């Protein structure tokens, strides 16, 4: 049971890191004409194109991001670094905000994971 929760939390951390790392273009010139701005495309082919799955993934990532915002420092930094290490399948990323002692860093990371699990449970993202 505990191993499943750890695996699920790792999976959410990787998805959150990838979601935060996506390219989002900024506002510049408007991308649509003023007269056509309120039009919506038909959703009859959204299921085949995967748009519904992407919408669900975005909703979960937004909820997870809101939960991460409720985690204080240095725990948030520890979780961000772990998410990056998990996403790249390498344990090379570190932060100068975290202690240099590996035992102290792992203690902070374990506390951070417990804090995040409590926040996720209280917000209903993870049960």
């Amino acid at each position: 049971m505990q191993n499943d929760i750890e695996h699920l939390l790792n999976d959410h951390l990787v998805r959150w890191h990838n979601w935060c790392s996506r390219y989002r273009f900024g506002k510049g010139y408007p991308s649509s004409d003023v007269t056509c701005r309120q039009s919506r495309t038909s959703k009859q082919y959204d299921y085949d194109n995967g748009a519904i799955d992407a919408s669900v993934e975005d909703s979960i990532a937004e909820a997870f991001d809101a939960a991460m915002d409720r985690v204080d420092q240095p725990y948030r930094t520890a979780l961000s670094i772990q998410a990056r290490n998990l996403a790249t399948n390498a344990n090379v990323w570190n932060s100068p905000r975290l202690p240099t002692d590996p035992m102290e860093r792992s203690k902070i990371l374990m506390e951070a994971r417990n804090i995040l699990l409590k926040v996720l449970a209280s917000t209903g993202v993870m049960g």
Side-chain angles (χ1 to χ4, degrees), residues 106-118:
S106 64
K107 180 182 173 189
I108 288 176
L109 181 60
M110 190 175 357
E111 291 173 3
R113 289 174 68 89
N114 289 334
I115 291 169
L116 180 61
L117 281 173
K118 287 178 186 174

Side-chain angles (χ1 to χ4, degrees), residues 34-54:
V34 177
T35 58
C36 302
R37 199 169 284 160
Q38 297 298 323
S39 68
R40 299 286 177 241
T41 59
S42 171
K43 295 188 179 211
Q44 65 187 8
Y45 299 112
D46 278 355
Y47 183 77
D48 295 335
N49 294 334
I52 293 173
D53 294 336

Side-chain angles (χ1 to χ4, degrees), residues 9-11 13-14 81-90 113:
L9 182 59
N10 287 344
D11 184 52
L13 282 169
V14 169
I81 295 298
Q82 186 185 31
R84 180 181 280 183
N85 283 328
L86 289 170
T88 58
N89 286 329
R113 289 174 68 89

